[in-house]
Amino acid sequence: PPWTKASRASRPAAPPSSFPETLLIPPALAASTLLAGAAALVFETLWVRLVTLHLGHTAPAVSAVLSAFMGGLAVGSWAAGRAADRLSARDCLRLYALCELGAGLLGLSMGPALDAAGRAVVAAGLTGLSPAAQAATTFLVAAPLLAVPAALMGASLPLLTRALRGMKAPEA
């Protein structure tokens, strides 16, 4: 039968893995990663409300936030993935912490930044435009502002992955 020792012995051995069989993540690092992910979702929701409040129109606001958020995540992940291969695990962990701190601080600063952007749009007389032009204005004003903290959020996972890959498992 296929489940006997003889049949197991005839199977080729699995190739050795470059990753340890068990990877233990320090609890504080796991907790910070979980909280950062939750904060990213809260920021995304908050930014939609702030863009709608300061620049108007829900559909263009949602489009601007989603585009900036997903684009920022992609660009940040790509850039950090390329950089992480050239850094040590310790440097990746430090850069991960800086990215998370920067994303949090910039994310919190979006309220005043979008308020100032909304005031600038009003001062420039861009509120009496056609709906299509107003939607374009909302996108062109909001998306670049939101893409920066989103890029820092996107950079965190490749850096964390590289840092964990370089950590030594605790000896039993």
Side-chain angles (χ1 to χ4, degrees):
W3 56 85
T4 63
K5 278 187 176 182
S7 66
R8 280 192 300 239
S10 64
R11 283 188 284 168
S17 174
S18 61
F19 292 99
E21 286 186 24
T22 58
L23 178 64
L24 298 176
I25 299 173
L29 193 55
S32 74
T33 304
L34 177 70
L35 291 174
L41 295 174
V42 169
F43 275 143
E44 185 179 9
T45 304
L46 178 64
W47 292 344
V48 168
R49 305 229 177 203
L50 288 171
V51 171
T52 302
L53 175 67
H54 295 295
L55 297 170
H57 305 293
T58 302
V62 170
S63 298
V65 171
L66 287 178
S67 297
F69 195 75
M70 294 301 169
L73 289 176
V75 168
S77 180
W78 174 80
R82 290 180 55 91
D85 289 335
R86 295 186 298 269
L87 299 172
S88 69
R90 182 181 283 293
D91 288 342
C92 283
L93 196 56
R94 284 185 184 136
L95 196 53
Y96 164 78
L98 289 174
C99 283
E100 291 294 358
L101 179 65
L105 292 175
L106 285 173
L108 291 173
S109 72
M110 285 302 110
L114 288 169
D115 181 47
R119 291 176 191 274
V121 166
V122 170
L126 299 175
T127 55
L129 302 174
S130 69
Q134 284 182 344
T137 300
T138 298
F139 187 86
L140 292 173
V141 169
L145 287 173
L146 302 175
V148 176
L152 290 174
M153 291 176 203
S156 64
L157 184 61
L159 293 170
L160 178 64
T161 303
R162 171 63 179 94
L164 290 174
R165 192 176 68 198
M167 284 183 171
K168 294 187 181 195
E171 295 184 24

